[in-house]
Amino acid sequence: MTRDPPANLEPAASAELLAHANPVFQVIFDDLKQRIRRGEWLPGERLPSISQLSKTLEVSTGSVREALRSLQSIGLVKIEHGRGVFVTGWRPTTDLSHYFQNLGTGLILALAETRRIIEPELAALAAERATDGELAEIEALAKEMEDEALRGLDFVEPDVQFHRRIAQSARNPILFRMMESVNDLFLESRQLTSLEPGMTARAVRYHLLIADALRSRSAAQARLLMLAHMNDTLSGVLAAESHAHQGASEGRSPPKLPKPL
């Protein structure tokens, strides 16, 4: 059974959702990521509390919490409720963004093309190999994205985890490691494409439909829906690149992406 998109999330509503986006989050995310990779906090070490980081960085606790969740989604930290946030380490040999000096739409376009090749097959494999518990978790993440979008929040954490859980459920360790290696680039891509009108609404709808196909164990449907989602993402990157070039020709500064390490 498929779902219709939420009435509140038609393309016209995406601009309203973006108005609530928190640009401070990306700055905090980049700062903490670089400090971890410089060795300021070593693997296994506990980070300062959210309130301490908030005071040090002079930002809200909500922005810090959002950044920490995203750091957890790419495997740099682990949040243990009641204990704190701990550094898990880093993967210098598999983090592809580490090897690029200039991160821009060209690299983001390459990522979108790569995901279009890999993720539909991961979805098909997950439909065949995932446990019922894993499928329930994937569906819950899709619903969490819908709920957060309706509340005007950026659903970066469940979004990243949705695709990660599908890759895990496919039971192919090589493909999973390939997807893990581009997690940082995925976040950069997401920041860029979310600026395109309608992308937020369509992303929510695709995730719900993909979750339905997975729950129905329909590998063919899961593959087709994920391919449609990846094609839409690629179109968003191409549109953003076109807008950046147009802005440059008109003397306007293109949107800036966070600098890589």
Side-chain angles (χ1 to χ4, degrees), residues 46 50 65-66 68-69 72 77-86 144 157 165:
R46 184 169 59 186
I50 291 177
R65 187 174 291 107
E66 185 179 1
L68 290 174
R69 286 174 179 169
Q72 177 172 250
V77 304
K78 182 179 181 181
I79 300 173
E80 298 186 9
H81 296 290
R83 295 192 61 215
V85 181
F86 295 84
E144 184 180 347
E157 169 68 8
R165 291 292 183 269

Side-chain angles (χ1 to χ4, degrees), residues 44 75 115-116 119-121 164 214 235 251 254:
R115 293 182 67 200
R116 185 173 64 170
E119 293 215 45
E121 296 309 313
R164 191 168 189 262
L214 292 173
S235 297

Side-chain angles (χ1 to χ4, degrees), residues 67-171:
L68 290 174
R69 286 174 179 169
S70 293
L71 288 172
Q72 177 172 250
S73 73
I74 64 172
L76 280 184
V77 304
K78 182 179 181 181
I79 300 173
E80 298 186 9
H81 296 290
R83 295 192 61 215
V85 181
F86 295 84
V87 176
T88 57
W90 54 90
R91 300 180 299 277
T93 58
T94 59
D95 180 6
L96 296 184
S97 64
H98 182 79
Y99 295 100
F100 295 94
Q101 296 300 315
N102 296 303
L103 182 60
T105 53
L107 184 57
I108 299 302
L109 177 60
L111 171 65
E113 292 173 342
T114 301
R115 293 182 67 200
R116 185 173 64 170
I117 294 170
I118 296 176
E119 293 215 45
E121 296 309 313
L122 286 173
L125 290 174
E128 297 171 347
R129 300 175 179 177
T131 66
D132 290 343
E134 287 170 332
L135 294 179
E137 184 179 2
I138 290 169
E139 184 177 21
L141 288 167
K143 291 179 178 177
E144 184 180 347
M145 283 183 264
E146 180 183 33
D147 292 341
E148 293 198 5
L150 286 169
R151 290 160 52 202
L153 303 175
D154 186 9
F155 48 84
V156 58
E157 169 68 8
D159 190 359
V160 172
Q161 290 300 330
F162 178 86
H163 290 277
R164 191 168 189 262
R165 291 292 183 269
I166 290 176
Q168 287 177 320
S169 301
R171 300 286 189 276

Side-chain angles (χ1 to χ4, degrees), residues 8-25 66 148-156 159 189-204 240 243 255:
N8 310 49
L9 287 176
E10 290 303 315
S14 62
E16 180 180 350
L17 294 179
L18 288 173
H20 296 280
N22 182 6
V24 177
F25 147 74
E66 185 179 1
E148 293 198 5
L150 286 169
R151 290 160 52 202
L153 303 175
D154 186 9
F155 48 84
V156 58
D159 190 359
S189 171
R190 192 181 180 285
Q191 181 190 19
L192 182 67
T193 57
S194 67
L195 300 176
E196 293 302 309
M199 285 297 294
T200 296
R202 293 195 300 275
V204 168
H243 294 159

